[in-house]
Amino acid sequence: MESLIGIVTRRPLVLQLHKTGEGKAEYGEFLHAPKKRFNDFAAIRKEIQDETDRLTGKSKHISNVPIHLSVYSPNVVNLTLIDLPGMTKVAVEGQPDSIVEDIDNMVRSYVEKPNCIILAISPANQDIATSDAIKLAREVDPSGERTFGVLTKLDLMDKGTNAADVLEGRSYRLQHPWVGMVNRSQADINKNVDMIAARRKEREYFETSPDYGHLANKMGSEYLAKLLSKAQLYTILEMCRAFDQVFKEHLDGGRPGGDRIYGVFDNQLPAALKKLPFDRHLSLQNVRKVVSEADGYQPHLIAPEQGYRRLIDGSLGFFKGPAEASVDAGNSLKVVFSPFSTYFYIFIGLNVMKRMYFHDKVHLVLKELVRKSIAETQELKRFPSLQTDIAAAANEALDRFRDDSRKTILRLVEMESSYLTVEFFRKLPLDSEKGSHPTAPTVDRYNENHLRRIGSNVSSYVGMVCETMKNSIPKAIVYCQVQEAKRSLLDHFYALVGRREKKQLGAMLDEDPSLMEKREQLAKRLELYKSARDEIDSVSWR
């Protein structure tokens, strides 16, 4: 990387660094010359200059068409850098009047991207207050979370001056620490001093400097490389945010899939309610049994209030256990009748709603959307390890949201069980006594019409509660599962990744070895095809 410093950049240089195994030779490859491998960095520098001249000529014009270079070396970290033309204030001879604006627009097109890490490079022998790089970085990254300040030419400052105030953050503080560098001199470049020797010389400068010795362990190109490699965390988080955005688009309708959640509430829930077996559980004999047992030896005088309460309370009390079991124990539902719970049908509707696992249905939809979102996030395609980590973290979060939803739904049922709507039952004595004779014997109150009216009244109350639950259950599921997934799907993962070491972060960004091998095989096969095509073309033109 340092061997390339010194080139007057007139086109963006996209430099992809690939760390190789120890002992392997260093080399570079250009996208515009895929058949050629460069083992000499001086030749790489010349190729950059030549490729720039091919497009811009020998003039001092610039171009926004990038040059792509991949460098493979055991002495680098896995990183992609983009070297951009330096900011200028005036056009010099041979440059168009628009050069200042052209460079500004080109640089902005790169540094404005939220997943871009900005290296704001300024020379130490100039006032930092006039740094165009810092000025632009502050405009596009006001929080400073992705800006790193780099101070070069420390060895070229006037005697008796130093840049300690800048490097220590007193002159201009950045969120990340400043890094000082000593680049190769023109004499070193002319002598083809290699990177290892240049780094050693740079280390010696800082270690022996009276001005910067106390900062030596945080200065130099090696430290900058390590610092940027920690920016892997930022890269990972940006890819996570890209996934999160795709996931939200599925839920909000920007992409298909979220409508399936609405389908659960709008189609499946009403259809399930229509199939509830209320009639099957209605029995005059059992109504008579429950009401008479509630009266004990003293028959009721006006309305069988205790009978009503037993029919409802008994059913609700019985419902709680199997409802919880149906949520946790699978698709089976065991119904056990207590002596007075014949009218389990009263709240069997709620139980069936629970048994149908509407929160689980939504849970499955959300899990499927996670899978689709990972597959559709372009930034993640190269990193199967990170895909696996994100999928695991997202599904773990969805499991927590589902558990909260289950608890909330059970609370809704318990709330209905804990208090009966008084106004509903206050109307019952008048309604139930219409057409009856006040002086009729008590036994007449147990006739079939009377028992049917009791069953009808209780059934109406249950219907009212079911309507309430039909509205409140979707609200609970959306609040506990869907909205939480939108708000905090990867929050726990962000905290976890933030505590990981560099090696662990690197492992998350590792490509699948089989994928890398396949890519190499395809590249070799492509070269064979190209060679064959060239031979065929050469024959056809003869």
Side-chain angles (χ1 to χ4, degrees), residues 441-457:
T442 302
V443 71
D444 288 344
R445 298 186 185 278
Y446 296 100
N447 62 39
E448 290 187 2
N449 288 335
H450 186 54
L451 295 175
R452 284 197 182 94
R453 184 170 293 278
I454 293 174
S456 176
N457 289 336

Side-chain angles (χ1 to χ4, degrees), residues 325-333 355 357:
S326 70
V327 170
D328 297 324
N331 290 326
S332 64
L333 175 64
R355 179 171 62 87
Y357 300 102

Side-chain angles (χ1 to χ4, degrees), residues 53-264:
D53 291 343
R54 289 186 193 108
L55 199 63
T56 64
K58 297 287 186 180
S59 67
K60 296 180 181 180
H61 287 218
I62 66 167
S63 170
N64 60 2
V65 179
I67 298 173
H68 293 266
L69 169 63
S70 294
V71 172
Y72 300 84
S73 169
N75 303 313
V76 300
V77 295
N78 293 315
L79 201 65
T80 297
L81 300 172
I82 302 177
D83 185 24
L84 298 169
M87 309 289 288
T88 61
K89 296 184 182 298
V90 294
V92 299
E93 186 177 354
Q95 292 180 333
D97 294 337
S98 63
I99 188 71
V100 177
E101 184 180 357
D102 292 343
I103 293 178
D104 184 85
N105 292 336
M106 181 197 301
V107 174
R108 284 180 184 273
S109 68
Y110 284 93
V111 299
E112 285 178 340
K113 296 177 180 178
N115 63 338
C116 167
I117 297 172
I118 303 171
L119 287 184
I121 302 175
S122 304
N125 54 3
Q126 294 182 12
D127 188 355
I128 195 65
T130 64
S131 170
D132 292 319
I134 290 295
K135 178 177 180 293
L136 179 58
R138 186 167 51 189
E139 291 177 8
V140 299
D141 179 34
S143 66
E145 65 176 10
R146 55 190 182 93
T147 299
F148 291 79
V150 179
L151 211 58
T152 62
K153 301 182 180 180
L154 290 169
D155 55 330
L156 300 182
M157 296 186 70
D158 293 336
K159 290 185 178 180
T161 64
N162 62 60
D165 283 350
V166 176
L167 294 175
E168 293 177 354
R170 291 192 295 272
S171 292
Y172 187 83
R173 180 175 293 277
L174 294 174
Q175 184 169 325
H176 301 286
W178 282 86
V179 179
M181 291 181 60
V182 174
N183 301 330
R184 294 185 305 167
S185 65
Q186 187 59 48
D188 291 335
I189 295 174
N190 295 337
K191 294 177 183 178
N192 290 324
V193 176
D194 62 28
M195 288 190 295
I196 297 177
R199 287 177 178 177
R200 182 173 61 249
K201 186 176 180 180
E202 184 183 46
R203 283 197 304 269
E204 291 174 355
Y205 172 84
F206 284 112
E207 289 172 354
T208 59
S209 170
D211 296 320
Y212 312 118
H214 64 294
L215 299 172
N217 64 331
K218 296 182 179 180
M219 295 289 118
S221 55
E222 284 185 330
Y223 178 75
L224 178 61
K226 293 177 181 178
L227 194 63
L228 292 179
S229 68
K230 292 181 180 178
Q232 290 173 324
L233 172 61
Y234 184 84
T235 302
I236 290 172
L237 295 182
E238 281 302 310
M239 284 192 280
C240 289
R241 293 186 184 105
F243 153 78
D244 201 40
Q245 181 60 36
V246 174
F247 179 72
K248 289 177 180 176
E249 288 174 3
H250 276 295
L251 291 178
D252 292 335
R255 298 173 187 243
D259 55 312
R260 291 172 55 196
I261 296 175
Y262 176 75
V264 172

Side-chain angles (χ1 to χ4, degrees), residues 212-451:
Y212 312 118
H214 64 294
L215 299 172
N217 64 331
K218 296 182 179 180
M219 295 289 118
S221 55
E222 284 185 330
Y223 178 75
L224 178 61
K226 293 177 181 178
L227 194 63
L228 292 179
S229 68
K230 292 181 180 178
Q232 290 173 324
L233 172 61
Y234 184 84
T235 302
I236 290 172
L237 295 182
E238 281 302 310
M239 284 192 280
C240 289
R241 293 186 184 105
F243 153 78
D244 201 40
Q245 181 60 36
V246 174
F247 179 72
K248 289 177 180 176
E249 288 174 3
H250 276 295
L251 291 178
D252 292 335
R255 298 173 187 243
D259 55 312
R260 291 172 55 196
I261 296 175
Y262 176 75
V264 172
F265 303 141
D266 193 51
N267 300 320
Q268 298 183 35
L269 181 57
L273 291 175
K274 289 181 180 178
K275 297 178 181 178
L276 296 179
F278 287 140
D279 294 341
R280 217 173 4 167
H281 294 278
L282 182 58
S283 167
L284 293 175
Q285 180 182 355
N286 287 330
V287 171
R288 180 182 290 110
K289 179 179 176 61
V290 172
V291 171
S292 61
E293 286 180 352
D295 282 347
Y297 73 90
Q298 178 67 57
H300 62 269
L301 299 177
I302 301 176
E305 179 178 338
Q306 291 302 319
Y308 273 112
R309 289 190 177 275
R310 276 204 185 181
L311 284 171
I312 297 174
D313 293 346
S315 298
L316 294 178
F318 174 77
F319 166 73
K320 184 177 179 181
E324 292 177 344
S326 70
V327 170
D328 297 324
N331 290 326
S332 64
L333 175 64
K334 296 180 180 179
V335 179
V336 180
F337 289 92
S338 66
F340 55 87
S341 64
T342 304
Y343 278 81
F344 176 70
Y345 81 92
I346 293 174
F347 269 80
I348 193 71
L350 297 178
N351 204 356
V352 172
M353 278 194 287
K354 302 292 289 192
R355 179 171 62 87
M356 291 185 178
Y357 300 102
F358 291 106
H359 54 285
D360 280 335
K361 290 179 182 290
V362 172
H363 178 68
L364 293 176
V365 173
L366 293 174
K367 290 184 70 172
E368 174 62 17
L369 293 184
V370 165
R371 187 195 65 77
K372 289 182 63 177
S373 299
I374 289 176
E376 293 173 11
T377 304
Q378 296 298 320
E379 295 87 339
L380 290 174
K381 289 187 179 298
R382 289 176 50 206
F383 306 105
S385 296
L386 184 56
Q387 290 182 34
T388 301
D389 289 340
I390 290 177
N395 288 329
E396 181 182 341
L398 291 179
D399 287 344
R400 292 197 306 271
F401 303 153
R402 179 188 57 183
D403 293 342
D404 289 341
S405 180
R406 176 189 292 119
K407 293 175 183 177
T408 301
I409 292 172
L410 285 174
R411 288 193 185 100
L412 290 175
V413 175
E414 290 170 354
M415 288 165 58
E416 294 293 344
S417 307
S418 64
Y419 187 78
L420 306 181
T421 306
V422 178
E423 288 301 319
F424 181 90
F425 291 99
R426 283 177 177 169
K427 300 177 182 178
L428 295 184
L430 294 176
D431 293 340
S432 63
E433 297 303 316
K434 287 180 180 178
S436 64
H437 300 285
T439 59
T442 302
V443 71
D444 288 344
R445 298 186 185 278
Y446 296 100
N447 62 39
E448 290 187 2
N449 288 335
H450 186 54
L451 295 175

Side-chain angles (χ1 to χ4, degrees), residues 505-517:
L505 294 176
M508 295 174 70
L509 294 176
D510 279 348
E511 290 187 297
D512 186 351
S514 62
L515 181 64
M516 296 174 65
E517 183 180 354

